[in-house]
């Protein structure tokens, strides 16, 4: 099995497969090669899916050559660098080396951004990517429906091949819609082979991913009784086998379980023993009114390495604990309004002094694009302020601005994913994760306000070009190196196999 998406890049890569050669900053390639060489026991289905995702060598730019993104409206979101009505972005060795007007780089391959907005790729801090083959299966469901159908029925029946397919679809869909970095909140580790499959799909997709290792799924929800599962102890092997380098697109988190405090503390300890950051759902619906964070704090378990998801029904003490221990948060506003988590706590976070990141959560009920997430928190916060004003509040909170929301989707995402030093803004020295958004489309032209256009009107149809670590993943509106027809067939096969194994009838309507 070869990594055809990487094959077009600087110098090729090297491993025991014999097709590679050493080069600097090649840890991701080494990782992929290790997988191909047998560290992951890849099934035939996985091999076929990988082949589908990588049927073509990476296109768009020549390997090793600098890239000059020319003449775009550049929103760096870096306060020191500023924004430009028209400027160039120079990329060398996968990193941004300059952002300014009129860069002269005669050796560079030029990408014309004359009718584009250039900005950092969007960053999702919580998505259950294994569900990528169950998109839209639960459009009318509540949290209870989700638990019963998605986790206890489908999740219990997932094979490693299904995990691979789900993760691959979710990752490629993210890239296609302008998300360059995504935290895979992965609670499908029914066996260690499920973990290997999830990681392999993330690597094969080419997305910058945070793999958050979570518990398995069974029919009862009591994951700690699962015979073949190794959560959380297998994190030691995963760290060693896949995440020994900082210099790669994949990083390791632990996804804390929704369970008794003793089990949560055990998982937190396992994470910290291997230096992995943590993400955990808290304050979800009625169940979330259990003062969990006060209990964890009593065991000194709250630290700056943790991202708290949802936070809808936390008490005031818990909010202060998050702030005072330096934690980050992730709001999945769209799903929270749909499924009964509680009011998305945007204003609460701001009042507490915490800037939130955003997340899609479940593609079983939620669109995969981040534009929808931005619009959701924007309108919800403004609605809340307007409601207070109408109720006679003489000192209402300030309205959010579109720029703040864009920062939530980029800068704050990078922070919550532990990657602020690498991504989240367009500044010299950072990895070149960026997107080009078309302004010559009927949903936004003629252009009047770039930040306004992105947050209030754009969608995946405006995402023309996507780069991750300087590698072109999407160009001219098409994913690079992905055979969609083949991928679709393989997705259909995975879906049908899963329905059969779970004994669920699929009516398709
Ligand atoms: Zn979630």
């Amino acid at each position: 099995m070869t990594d055809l998406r990487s094959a077009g890049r600087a110098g090729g890569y090297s491993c025991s497969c014999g097709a590679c050669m050493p080069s600097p900053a090649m840890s991701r390639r080494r990782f992929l090669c290790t997988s191909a060489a047998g560290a992951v026991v890849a099934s035939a289905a996985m091999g076929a899916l990988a082949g589908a995702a990588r049927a073509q060598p990476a296109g768009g730019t020549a390997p090793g050559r600098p890239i000059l993104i020319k003449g775009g409206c550049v929103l760096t979101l870096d306060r020191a660098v500023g924004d430009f009505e028209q400027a160039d972005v120079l990329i060398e060795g996968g990193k941004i080396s300059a952002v300014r007007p009129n860069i002269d780089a005669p050796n560079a391959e030029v990408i014309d951004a004359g009718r584009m907005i250039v900005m950092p790729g969007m960053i999702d801090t919580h998505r259950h990517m294994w569900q990528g083959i169950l998109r839209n299966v639960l459009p009318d469901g509540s949290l209870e429906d989700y638990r019963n159908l998605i986790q206890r029925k489908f999740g219990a029946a997932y094979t490693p091949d299904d995990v691979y397919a789900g993760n691959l679809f979710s990752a490629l869909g993210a890239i296609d819609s302008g998300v360059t970095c995504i935290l895979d909140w992965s609670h499908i580790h029914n066996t260690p082979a499920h973990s290997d499959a999830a990681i392999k799909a993330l690597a094969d997709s080419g997305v910058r991913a945070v793999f958050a290792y979570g518990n398995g799924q069974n029919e009862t929800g009591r994951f700690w009784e699962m015979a073949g599962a190794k959560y959380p102890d297998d994190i030691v092997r995963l760290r060693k086998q896949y995440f020994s380098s900082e210099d790669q697109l994949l990083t390791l988190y632990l996804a804390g379980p929704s369970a008794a405090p003793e089990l949560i503390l055990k998982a937190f300890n396992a994470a910290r023993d291997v230096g992995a950051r943590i993400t955990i759902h808290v304050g979800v619906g009625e169940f979330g009114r259990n003062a969990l964070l006060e209990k964890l704090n009593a065991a000194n378990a709250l630290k700056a390495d943790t991202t708290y998801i949802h936070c809808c029904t936390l008490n005031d003490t818990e909010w202060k604990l998050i702030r005072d221990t330096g934690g980050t948060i992730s709001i999945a506003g769209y799903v929270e309004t749909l499924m009964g988590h509680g009011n998305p706590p945007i204003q609460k976070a701001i009042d507490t002094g915490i800037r939130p990141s955003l997340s899609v959560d479940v593609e079983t009920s939620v669109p995969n694009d981040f534009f929808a997430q931005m619009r959701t928190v924007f309108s919800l916060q403004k609605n809340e302020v307007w409601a207070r004003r109408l109720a006679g509040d003489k000192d209402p909170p300030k309205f959010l601005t579109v720029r703040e929301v864009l920062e939530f989707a980029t800068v704050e995402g990078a922070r919550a994913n532990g990657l602020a030093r690498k991504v989240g803004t367009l500044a010299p020295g950072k990895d070149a994760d960026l997107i080009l958004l078309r302004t010559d489309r009927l949903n936004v032209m003629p252009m009047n306000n770039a930040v306004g256009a992105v947050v209030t009107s754009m969608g995946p149809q405006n995402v023309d070009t996507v780069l991750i670590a300087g590698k072109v993943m999407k160009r001219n509106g098409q994913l690079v190196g992905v055979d969609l027809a083949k991928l679709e067939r393989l997705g259909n096969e995975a879906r049908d196999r899963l329905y059969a194994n779970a004994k669920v009838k699929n009516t398709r309507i």
Side-chain angles (χ1 to χ4, degrees), residues 66-342:
I67 297 171
L68 184 64
I69 297 173
K70 192 88 191 145
C73 169
V74 182
L75 305 175
T76 70
L77 300 180
D78 181 293
R79 291 190 182 158
V81 179
D83 297 334
F84 300 87
E85 195 177 331
Q86 194 170 62
D88 307 337
V89 179
L90 181 61
I91 298 164
E92 296 177 289
K95 292 182 186 298
I96 296 166
S97 58
V99 185
R100 62 171 189 273
N102 306 315
I103 294 175
D104 189 27
N107 295 330
E109 182 156 347
V110 173
I111 294 178
D112 178 13
R115 290 169 162 182
M116 313 270 188
I117 291 168
V118 183
M119 62 166 266
M122 293 175 275
I123 300 179
D124 188 334
T125 55
H126 150 238
R127 196 182 303 189
H128 305 291
M129 295 173 71
W130 58 273
Q131 297 162 11
I133 51 172
L134 288 172
R135 285 169 166 164
N136 319 119
V137 73
L138 202 60
D140 300 314
S142 66
L143 269 174
E144 196 185 347
D145 299 327
Y146 171 81
R147 192 188 62 203
N148 291 336
L149 179 65
I150 308 299
Q151 294 185 283
R152 296 187 182 180
K153 217 168 181 76
F154 281 124
Y158 255 65
T159 65
D161 286 348
D162 301 334
V163 177
Y164 181 86
N167 266 30
L168 190 63
F169 272 87
S170 193
L172 293 175
I175 297 168
D176 190 47
S177 64
V179 170
T180 52
C181 176
I182 183 164
L183 183 140
D184 178 18
W185 213 104
S186 191
H187 53 347
I188 191 63
H189 299 293
N190 305 356
T191 69
H194 288 66
S195 314
D196 295 332
I199 294 165
K200 177 160 175 45
L202 296 175
D204 285 350
S205 76
V207 78
R208 186 184 299 276
V210 177
F211 172 72
Y213 171 61
N215 56 265
Q217 299 295 337
N218 62 2
E219 295 81 1
T220 64
R222 295 194 293 273
F223 66 86
W224 54 93
E225 295 173 351
M226 293 173 70
K230 296 270 189 289
Y231 178 85
D233 301 338
D234 201 36
I235 198 168
V236 175
R237 174 185 71 91
L238 297 174
R239 165 63 88 192
K240 219 193 229 165
Q241 189 167 338
Y242 300 113
F243 302 98
S244 55
S245 169
E246 288 284 296
D247 184 26
Q248 58 184 36
L249 285 179
L250 304 189
T251 49
L252 178 67
Y253 267 48
L254 175 123
S258 295
E262 310 82 72
L263 290 170
I264 296 172
L265 290 171
K266 184 181 175 217
F268 277 27
N269 286 338
R272 287 170 177 151
D273 284 349
V274 297
R277 290 170 57 98
I278 294 165
T279 172
I280 185 167
H281 296 86
V282 295
V284 178
E286 204 50 53
F287 178 77
R289 295 189 206 274
N290 56 357
L292 172 67
L293 296 188
E294 293 183 64
K295 292 170 196 158
L296 297 180
N297 185 56
N300 290 319
L302 304 187
K303 299 188 194 303
D305 61 3
T306 301
T307 299
Y308 303 90
I309 315 283
H310 298 309
C311 307
C312 302
T313 54
L314 295 181
N315 66 40
D316 286 352
T317 305
E318 292 176 292
W319 273 102
K320 288 192 191 94
L321 284 171
I322 294 176
R323 181 193 60 203
D324 295 345
T325 56
T328 48
I329 72 164
S330 175
I331 293 178
Y334 194 91
V335 81
E336 288 154 10
T337 64
L338 289 185
M339 291 177 74
H341 296 63

Side-chain angles (χ1 to χ4, degrees), residues 411-428:
V411 178
E412 296 304 332
R415 206 162 61 82
N417 279 355
L419 293 167
R421 71 193 183 284
K422 284 193 172 186
V423 294
T425 63
L426 303 184

Side-chain angles (χ1 to χ4, degrees), residues 353-368:
I354 300 170
R355 308 298 283 177
S357 68
L358 308 180
S359 57
V360 164
D361 195 352
V362 288
E363 291 183 58
T364 52
S365 305
V366 177
N368 80 333

